[in-house]
Amino acid sequence: MSGYLNGLLALLCIDVMFAYGVFLPVMTGQINLGGAGFQALGGYVAAWLATTYDCPPWMTLPLGALAGAVAGLAIALPLARVRGVYLVLATIAFGQLVTGLILASPSLGGAQGIAVPSFVGLPVILPLTLLVIVACFYLCATRLGLAMRAVHDDEAVADLMGVSARAMQVVSYTLGGAIVGLSGALYAHQFGFVQAQGFDETLSVYVLLYVLLGGVQTAWGPMAGTCCFVLIPELLRNVLPGLAGMVAAIFGLPIGEVKIDDSWRLVILGAFTVAMMIWRPQGIVTRTLIEHLARPLGVFAKRRAA
Amino acid sequence: MLLLQQAINGVMLGAVYVTMAVAFTLTIGVLNFLNFTIPALFMVAGMVGWSLVTNGLPFGLVGHLHWAPALLIGIGCAVVLSVVIEQLSYRFLKARHGDATEHAIPLVSSLGFLLIIENLVRVRFGTDMRAFASPFQGISWNLGGILISIPQLASLVLSLLTVFGLSALLRGSKVGRAIRAIAENPEAAAVVGVDVRKIVPVVFAATGLLCGLAAAIYALNYGEVAPSMGDDIGTKAIAGMVLGGLGSIWGAIAGGLLVGLTEAFSIQLFGSDAIQASVWGLLLLVMILRPQGLFGHSAIGKGKF
């Protein structure tokens, strides 16, 4: 496998894992706009342990995940009594606080970042990502997952049925924090370098959009959304400039060199977001879509009859 | 003496945050909508002003503009853009999906608009920071060893006057009463004859006006604009709004000034690297100890958003 493809696949895996970590709070009707802070935390814990104590990756990865879990618990628990938009604002504050603290501590390299000595490649990242995906699918099928879904659909009714909405939210932030923390630790080991500026608010926004546009009704959504928005731009980066040049040539437009840079990619992501919110706010993959696709296979036939 | 000087710098710095925080608090208080296009409106006003000064009007109509009309046009652009976004996103989405929406549809849509606007400006003007030639830099007033920058003082007064005027309008005028009625309960307001469809754009126009004003103050005092200028200022304005309490105009004023003060003192005490950590640390602390903020009442921002 070529180096380019290898790197792309590793980045995709890390982003997919990140997206599942952001997906869990969304499952309970909350929004995590501080995902980058959780990832920075996991990445820096791993990087710091690896540089100062020479910890091998099999120690740094779980500890990075643990740091994310503790942070998720620490943010959700005291704020369990506030709700709605306050918890969103608290996650923004948390993300900013983490990168702010890193920038302010010279022992963590400040704005320079840390170089990470030990390398973790795709043979570790891919199985771990698959594990996270399977775990999330399994979670959706368990009683806990159903309870989380119930809180998402109607908090008051879920509470009435004996599901503690607060507990579900705390659990979802904790599990989500662990997953995002793990993705950060993997990021640190894969790219060998972490820098606080790489984990800014915009990253949180992008990943949240991947999740919401992918669809949050099923566990397929985060994967679909992330693959769409990470892979398609990567393909377009090579195809689109040629295409634009062709169109320009046909109409005889005086466009010398068409440069498709990152800004256009984000304009398209934004436009797609606005369009999706108008026509399909539930996201690309929905429960009914899965049923439609699965019907020919006869997966749901028995359950329907029963 | 040094502390007093820092306090004054902090309050001056707070002028921009106050104006933006009031813009945030207005939409969240009246419409229960966290409007993420506000940083983009702020940036558009600044960049349009800069472009008119440096490049003149498009299509070569007039050469370089004087800073005052340029910034006024910039503010006008922010107002128009805000109302257009309201038509395209907020109104359209409410009409289409109703109030009981899948959560956060307007919020996510406004994130989409933020991406579109910021990156279109980046495509057009590049990502560099641009110098905005300010006519007032360096004029200051020496008051027994304490320097007070006159333009900063004027900006603070201007932004506070605007906010007070706005608050008086909300309290006294017919439109203001209608806005407060919508904030209380949109259905009941509609029943007693408030034309919600006509009043909501007024809120968005006011948001645009406040953002434009904040951008003009920022450009004149700090002498620079950039396509990314909305991100940092916008998030700090959100911090100010939450500190003061959602939906409270007085809270937004106090919160904005508090963010400015925190910033100035943390530069003094820990150096400029610590700004982000102190502002957001303070915010998280306040959210844990007093979630409704300094002046907010806890009814706003609850439930589905």
Side-chain angles (χ1 to χ4, degrees):
Chain A
M1 205 168 4
S2 73
Y4 167 74
L5 205 60
N6 212 324
L8 180 64
L9 203 55
L11 187 65
L12 181 69
C13 282
I14 289 168
D15 279 347
V16 166
M17 200 185 272
F18 190 170
Y20 273 97
V22 172
F23 165 68
L24 289 182
V26 175
M27 243 177 95
T28 60
Q30 291 299 324
I31 282 186
N32 185 353
L33 260 177
F38 287 93
Q39 203 183 30
L41 192 69
Y44 265 83
V45 164
W48 181 69
L49 288 172
T51 46
T52 3
Y53 299 107
D54 278 333
C55 285
W58 64 265
M59 280 175 75
T60 59
L61 294 180
L63 286 173
L66 183 69
V70 170
L73 188 67
I75 180 125
L77 207 54
L79 291 166
R81 61 199 172 114
V82 305
R83 25 200 31 205
V85 81
Y86 268 102
L87 210 47
V88 182
L89 294 166
T91 58
I92 297 178
F94 173 78
Q96 296 278 348
L97 180 63
V98 171
T99 47
L101 283 176
I102 292 167
L103 286 174
S105 3
S107 58
L108 290 176
Q112 266 79 50
I114 315 182
V116 186
S118 39
F119 176 77
V120 167
L122 203 55
V124 179
I125 296 176
L126 190 60
L128 276 177
T129 309
L130 291 177
L131 187 71
V132 165
I133 295 174
V134 170
C136 285
F137 269 96
Y138 177 68
L139 179 71
C140 285
T142 58
R143 200 184 144 76
L144 181 66
L146 283 177
M148 286 163 78
R149 175 72 53 212
V151 172
H152 170 276
D153 289 343
D154 198 319
E155 251 184 68
V157 174
D159 251 337
L160 207 63
M161 295 305 210
V163 174
S164 165
R166 307 289 169 81
M168 288 306 121
Q169 285 168 359
V170 172
V171 165
S172 70
Y173 271 103
T174 311
L175 286 179
I179 295 173
V180 181
L182 179 62
S183 81
L186 286 173
Y187 179 95
H189 284 293
Q190 163 71 21
F191 295 99
F193 185 64
V194 280
Q195 195 179 24
Q197 293 92 317
F199 301 103
D200 61 351
E201 187 55 43
T202 48
L203 178 65
S204 312
V205 172
Y206 299 153
V207 177
L208 180 70
L209 287 181
Y210 299 163
V211 172
L212 293 178
L213 298 182
V216 297
Q217 291 182 357
T218 64
W220 291 101
M223 198 169 21
T226 315
C227 289
C228 263
F229 296 109
V230 176
L231 283 185
I232 291 177
E234 212 46 54
L235 296 175
L236 290 185
R237 201 181 299 253
N238 304 322
V239 181
L240 207 57
L243 211 63
M246 237 163 66
V247 172
I250 289 169
F251 292 101
L253 292 171
I255 302 174
E257 187 190 341
V258 185
K259 232 182 91 208
I260 307 290
D261 58 357
D262 234 25
S263 302
W264 274 114
R265 181 174 83 84
L266 295 172
V267 171
I268 294 170
L269 175 62
F272 191 73
T273 305
V274 171
M276 283 289 282
M277 285 304 117
I278 292 172
W279 287 296
R280 201 177 165 83
Q282 64 272 45
I284 299 171
V285 183
T286 58
R287 239 168 272 156
T288 37
L289 181 75
I290 300 280
E291 276 182 33
H292 273 294
L293 291 178
R295 193 163 294 153
L297 304 174
V299 179
F300 287 92
K302 254 183 208 159
R303 196 178 293 176
R304 277 285 160 85
Chain B
M1 200 54 111
L2 199 59
L3 282 181
L4 191 62
Q5 178 70 58
Q6 286 300 341
I8 288 171
N9 291 349
V11 170
M12 300 298 179
L13 197 60
V16 177
Y17 300 146
V18 166
T19 325
M20 296 264 287
V22 170
F24 271 113
T25 218
L26 198 62
T27 39
I28 212 163
V30 178
L31 306 171
N32 200 11
F33 165 41
L34 182 55
N35 186 354
F36 273 105
T37 56
I38 284 173
L41 298 175
F42 172 73
M43 182 271 298
V44 162
M47 289 304 285
V48 165
W50 165 79
S51 171
L52 290 177
V53 170
T54 336
N55 307 328
L57 285 173
F59 315 117
L61 287 177
V62 187
H64 310 288
L65 247 66
H66 187 249
W67 62 268
L71 283 177
L72 279 179
I73 295 175
I75 294 175
C77 284
V79 173
V80 171
L81 192 60
S82 183
V83 175
V84 168
I85 289 174
E86 189 265 342
Q87 299 285 329
L88 288 176
S89 72
Y90 187 77
R91 157 159 323 172
F92 198 66
L93 293 173
K94 282 279 176 200
R96 201 180 167 89
H97 304 301
D99 276 332
T101 47
E102 180 87 6
H103 62 226
I105 291 176
L107 186 152
V108 175
S109 165
S110 77
L111 279 174
F113 276 106
L114 175 68
L115 283 182
I116 295 177
I117 297 168
E118 277 201 358
N119 288 294
L120 279 180
V121 171
R122 282 202 185 108
V123 167
R124 176 73 184 79
F125 294 114
T127 50
D128 299 335
M129 189 175 277
R130 309 294 187 151
F132 189 95
S134 165
F136 307 114
Q137 256 167 358
I139 308 171
S140 54
W141 187 19
N142 195 329
L143 202 75
I146 291 172
L147 282 180
I148 298 177
S149 152
I150 299 292
Q152 285 198 347
L153 186 65
S155 314
L156 181 65
V157 171
L158 182 64
S159 80
L160 286 183
L161 276 182
T162 311
V163 172
F164 290 151
L166 191 74
S167 132
L169 275 180
L170 274 181
R171 218 170 324 114
S173 73
K174 196 166 181 222
V175 174
R177 277 197 294 276
I179 289 175
R180 282 186 299 138
I182 294 173
E184 206 69 44
N185 186 338
E187 281 88 33
V191 167
V192 296
V194 173
D195 193 348
V196 177
R197 294 168 59 90
K198 277 197 183 130
I199 298 300
V200 171
V202 175
V203 176
F204 277 80
T207 306
L209 178 71
L210 286 165
C211 294
L213 184 69
I217 291 173
Y218 183 85
L220 286 177
N221 281 315
Y222 299 95
E224 60 188 34
V225 292
S228 57
M229 71 197 235
D231 294 344
D232 184 46
I233 306 283
T235 42
K236 286 215 182 97
I238 292 181
M241 167 188 72
V242 181
L243 274 177
L246 302 189
S248 153
I249 287 183
W250 296 104
I253 296 173
L257 291 178
L258 198 58
V259 170
L261 281 175
T262 313
E263 205 173 319
F265 281 116
S266 75
I267 292 174
Q268 172 74 22
L269 297 174
F270 315 110
S272 60
D273 285 339
I275 294 175
Q276 207 183 331
S278 13
V279 169
W280 296 95
L282 175 73
L283 176 65
L284 262 185
L285 204 66
V286 169
M287 287 192 83
I288 289 168
L289 298 177
R290 196 179 153 78
Q292 70 271 41
L294 301 174
F295 294 90
H297 36 92
S298 47
I300 290 164
K302 278 195 173 172
K304 297 231 163 180
F305 37 112

